[in-house]
Amino acid sequence: MEKFYITTAIDYVNGSPHIGHAYEKILTDVIFRHFAKRTKNAYFLTGCDEHGIKIQKTAAKLEICPQDFCNNNAQKFVQCWNLLDIHYNQLIRTTNTNHKKIVQKIFKKLLEKGDIYKHSYKGLYCSGCECFLSDKDLDENGCCLIHQKKPDLVSEENYFFKLTKYKDRIIEYIKTHPDFIVPDFRAKEVLNQLQDIEDISVSRAKSSVNWGIDVLDDDSQVIYVWIDALSNYITALGYNPEGESDELFKKYWPANVQVIGKDILKFHSIYWLAILMALDLPLPKHILAHGWITLDEAKMSKSLGNVVSPENVLKGFELNHPDAFRYYLAASAPVGKDGNYSDLDFKEKVNAQLANSMGNLLNRTLSMLVKYFDGIIKPEFIVKNELFDKAQVLIDKTKTHFDNFEVQEASAEIMEFVYELNKFVTDNAPWTLAKEEKWTQCGQTLYVVLELMCVVAFLIEPYCPNIARLMTQQLKFDINTTFDDIMFSNIKAQKLISKEEIKPVFLRIDSEFADKK
Ligand code: MSP
């Protein structure tokens, strides 16, 4: 693999980050960290979407200028991603001067090409979706299917983008690239939506919305939301519509995968493709449309007052790093399906899997190595068994799962292997072997577990970077090992560890902590 470019949707900054936003960033970060072990050239872009009527209105309500409002709220997203160890290379904000300039140039180029034209229009506008709706987007009460709100009737002269010109090419592309939309069952949905698409409004009159990027040479209009927001994926890399683009763009575009929520798939698999086609740019290889995270099986929403912030989860459970939360969310749903967060389930799963199965196994094994052999691996302990073949299968399967963006599925395989290692210890009972003074057999059992725990730490690292670091420190295994150089000879015949160096890698979330929530 030569390079890997991955992006997330950019979040509207009219509120604070919640666990739904966090799910997407964690999912993307896990995929990114996995692929960073497979190529040196991996790049991860995330960002904030800062224009539009929603932000204009919220800022007005708070009597604060929209830019200050965005600056304050963008910080909340940055802080949240730091807290969750989201390892992005760049966080783009659509109010960046550079982004705005490039978007204006993109708009101008499309206008000159005749793909953007001015047109008087009357339509139903949903400020939740930040777009005009057609009958298909409405329920029987005339409300937006996604936001359950009546759209506004808007009548204006706007600039329109000739989406219809690209309709056939988009259909063709989706049909001939069955793995473009992940999961593939969503492609059908998009092909249906394509049947009755119309040209789309890409500007708004300043008299109704002024918080946007100005259209060059027309001071009555601002460029509106989707052309501004979608372009972030290329403006961040220094795309230049008028000449030579930056090295970053040449190196990384097209994206390998663009991670977004299922609610904005239409914009990414139809509008975005059409814009790229109009700009004569290559198309992204995959769009990964993840499902939604519900809270205790209910939709999260401000009006229901059940929006949960990642900070509160970490604080409530007194977690000093985000690994358990990352692991839980990343493993919450099969690719593309909805997932759920509940405090109880969170606690039970991470206690059972990260603390009891994985953490304890390492802790017990190292403790026995110290107790019986003073922490020393002797040359005669180094003997491979059939679990090594299974570990190789696990590595291959994990790669295949990630090739298909099956993040939950990969974590389940890794955990399954941890259960097997636990079973191996129970079956071979090294404590009994020690009692019977079968020292070589006892040492061999411990060696197998420790060697294969290096593989587990390596594979789990994208989900749990802090836990994996603690594991690899105790195993004296290099955390920067790549898929090219992972081998089954990490544990050497030497003194591996002393009693003082053994630390639990993940403590059970104590129920008394949970009660504090
Ligand atoms: N600004 C647009 C995206 C523009 S991308 C060029 C937007 N912003 S958003 O803040 O509403 O959503 C950002 C991302 O978070 C979207 O991919 C959305 O699907 C995702 N999620 C928002 N709530 C979510 C859940 N409850 N669960 C999972 N993801 C959800 O849309």
Side-chain angles (χ1 to χ4, degrees):
M1 179 177 291
E2 281 165 22
K3 63 93 189 167
F4 186 78
Y5 178 37
I6 186 164
T7 65
T8 68
I10 51 173
D11 301 307
Y12 287 128
V13 293
N14 58 323
S16 302
H18 56 60
I19 58 173
H21 299 122
Y23 172 59
E24 178 175 283
K25 308 309 174 275
I26 290 171
L27 198 62
T28 310
D29 191 54
V30 173
I31 298 172
F32 167 74
R33 285 176 187 257
H34 170 92
F35 280 99
K37 291 173 181 288
R38 291 168 64 176
T39 170
K40 281 195 186 76
N41 299 316
Y43 198 89
F44 173 5
L45 175 74
T46 190
C48 294
D49 195 353
E50 305 193 359
H51 293 124
I53 188 77
K54 275 193 283 198
I55 289 168
Q56 184 183 320
K57 280 186 179 164
T58 319
K61 242 191 237 160
L62 296 169
E63 296 180 0
I64 157 169
C65 95
Q67 187 61 66
D68 288 346
F69 174 72
C70 290
N71 293 347
N72 291 341
N73 274 15
Q75 272 321 302
K76 295 184 190 164
F77 283 83
V78 170
Q79 278 162 7
C80 186
W81 304 153
N82 285 343
L83 187 71
L84 298 179
D85 285 338
I86 307 297
H87 217 299
Y88 57 78
N89 294 91
Q90 189 185 155
L91 184 143
I92 186 169
R93 298 180 51 196
T94 55
T95 53
N96 286 351
T97 314
N98 198 43
H99 170 81
K100 291 195 282 192
K101 275 193 193 145
I102 303 175
V103 169
Q104 285 176 322
K105 286 185 193 168
I106 289 175
F107 196 93
K108 186 166 161 237
K109 183 168 177 168
L110 299 182
L111 196 65
E112 284 167 1
K113 196 176 168 189
D115 278 355
I116 284 181
Y117 60 95
K118 225 172 181 181
H119 172 60
S120 280
Y121 187 75
K122 202 176 193 182
L124 294 170
Y125 194 85
C126 170
S127 60
C129 297
E130 298 274 21
C131 72
F132 287 94
L133 302 184
S134 70
D135 288 346
K136 275 204 166 171
D137 304 314
L138 303 172
D139 65 16
E140 61 283 3
N141 302 316
C143 293
C144 164
L145 284 175
I146 296 174
H147 296 94
Q148 260 94 58
K149 264 196 198 156
K150 276 218 154 82
D152 301 321
L153 181 65
V154 169
S155 168
E156 285 179 5
E157 183 171 54
N158 294 157
Y159 286 97
F160 275 71
F161 173 66
K162 274 191 191 160
L163 191 59
T164 45
K165 174 173 163 191
Y166 297 97
K167 176 176 163 176
D168 292 344
R169 268 179 72 190
I170 297 172
I171 293 176
E172 173 72 13
Y173 187 77
I174 294 175
K175 285 191 173 164
T176 53
H177 296 79
D179 60 352
F180 169 60
I181 296 173
V182 183
D184 56 5
F185 67 81
R186 295 229 175 264
K188 234 194 208 155
E189 218 173 275
V190 174
L191 288 169
N192 271 342
Q193 285 165 337
L194 271 158
Q195 287 319 312
D196 43 20
I197 54 158
E198 290 169 10
D199 291 350
I200 50 166
S201 152
V202 286
S203 77
R204 293 294 306 273
K206 274 193 184 165
S207 51
S208 21
V209 186
N210 57 37
W211 186 236
I213 303 173
D214 288 345
V215 174
L216 287 177
D217 308 319
D218 183 346
D219 57 12
S220 70
Q221 301 269 323
V222 289
I223 297 173
Y224 212 55
V225 175
W226 286 101
I227 215 165
D228 164 10
L230 290 164
S231 302
N232 91 83
Y233 304 127
I234 52 177
T235 66
L237 299 181
Y239 166 64
N240 180 359
E242 289 173 342
E244 183 134 340
S245 297
D246 291 355
E247 285 310 311
L248 211 53
F249 178 81
K250 290 190 209 156
K251 181 168 174 184
Y252 285 110
W253 190 257
N256 294 66
V257 57
Q258 305 211 255
V259 184
I260 51 147
K262 61 181 183 181
D263 56 317
I264 52 173
L265 177 60
K266 176 169 98 183
F267 304 110
H268 284 79
S269 55
I270 303 179
Y271 296 14
W272 181 223
L273 285 206
I275 294 169
L276 289 169
M277 285 173 179
L279 293 170
D280 291 319
L281 288 176
L283 308 179
K285 298 198 172 93
H286 305 281
I287 302 282
L288 169 58
H290 61 75
W292 272 44
I293 292 293
T294 51
L295 185 78
D296 298 325
E297 307 295 344
K299 197 176 171 213
M300 247 186 323
S301 80
K302 274 192 203 157
S303 50
L304 290 174
N306 65 348
V307 178
V308 170
S309 84
E311 284 94 331
N312 284 348
V313 175
L314 299 199
K315 263 194 209 145
F317 286 112
E318 301 191 348
L319 294 167
N320 58 9
H321 62 62
D323 289 22
F325 183 67
R326 290 171 59 98
Y327 174 78
Y328 178 80
L329 278 191
S332 66
V335 59
K337 298 273 169 59
D338 291 344
N340 182 56
Y341 175 86
S342 98
D343 279 344
L344 186 64
D345 188 48
F346 170 62
K347 197 176 78 179
E348 282 179 3
K349 258 198 197 131
V350 300
N351 277 348
Q353 299 180 7
L354 299 183
N356 295 358
S357 294
M358 194 174 77
N360 238 349
L361 176 62
L362 181 66
N363 201 268
R364 280 195 297 152
T365 314
L366 287 173
S367 299
M368 285 190 272
L369 188 72
V370 167
K371 185 169 170 196
Y372 304 138
F373 304 108
D374 194 25
I376 295 169
I377 300 279
K378 298 185 181 170
E380 62 270 27
F381 296 172
I382 301 187
V383 176
K384 300 189 172 169
N385 69 0
E386 70 288 348
L387 279 173
F388 283 70
D389 299 330
K390 289 196 175 171
Q392 184 57 55
V393 171
L394 172 70
I395 292 173
D396 297 340
K397 273 191 178 171
T398 305
K399 280 169 93 173
T400 309
H401 279 310
F402 272 90
D403 287 339
N404 299 321
F405 311 111
E406 292 162 350
V407 174
Q408 184 223 38
E409 293 81 344
S411 71
E413 297 276 359
I414 301 166
M415 223 19 90
E416 201 48 50
F417 187 69
V418 172
Y419 298 147
E420 278 208 48
L421 288 180
N422 270 297
K423 186 169 178 302
F424 173 73
V425 173
T426 312
D427 292 350
N428 287 278
W431 47 90
T432 310
L433 295 172
K435 240 188 229 158
E436 293 167 357
E437 297 190 7
K438 293 180 178 162
W439 298 116
T440 306
Q441 254 177 290
C442 175
Q444 285 172 348
T445 306
L446 301 182
Y447 161 76
V448 166
V449 177
L450 294 173
E451 180 67 54
L452 298 181
M453 281 308 272
C454 294
V455 175
V456 170
F458 173 77
L459 295 176
I460 208 77
E461 192 264 343
Y463 305 80
C464 302
N466 299 283
I467 294 176
R469 193 174 345 101
L470 281 174
M471 291 171 78
T472 54
Q473 274 165 6
Q474 295 178 64
L475 289 161
K476 311 286 183 297
F477 169 67
D478 180 7
I479 189 108
N480 298 315
T481 301
T482 66
F483 272 93
D484 285 339
D485 47 39
I486 183 145
M487 287 187 303
F488 301 106
S489 55
N490 302 300
I491 304 291
K492 304 279 184 294
Q494 59 173 13
K495 171 141 183 161
L496 187 70
I497 197 152
S498 61
K499 192 173 178 198
E500 302 68 50
E501 286 178 289
I502 301 179
K503 277 187 224 126
V505 293
F506 181 69
L507 285 170
R508 280 177 62 87
I509 296 178
D510 199 310
S511 52
E512 99 197 46
F513 292 157
D515 289 341
K516 290 182 190 165
K517 279 177 73 70

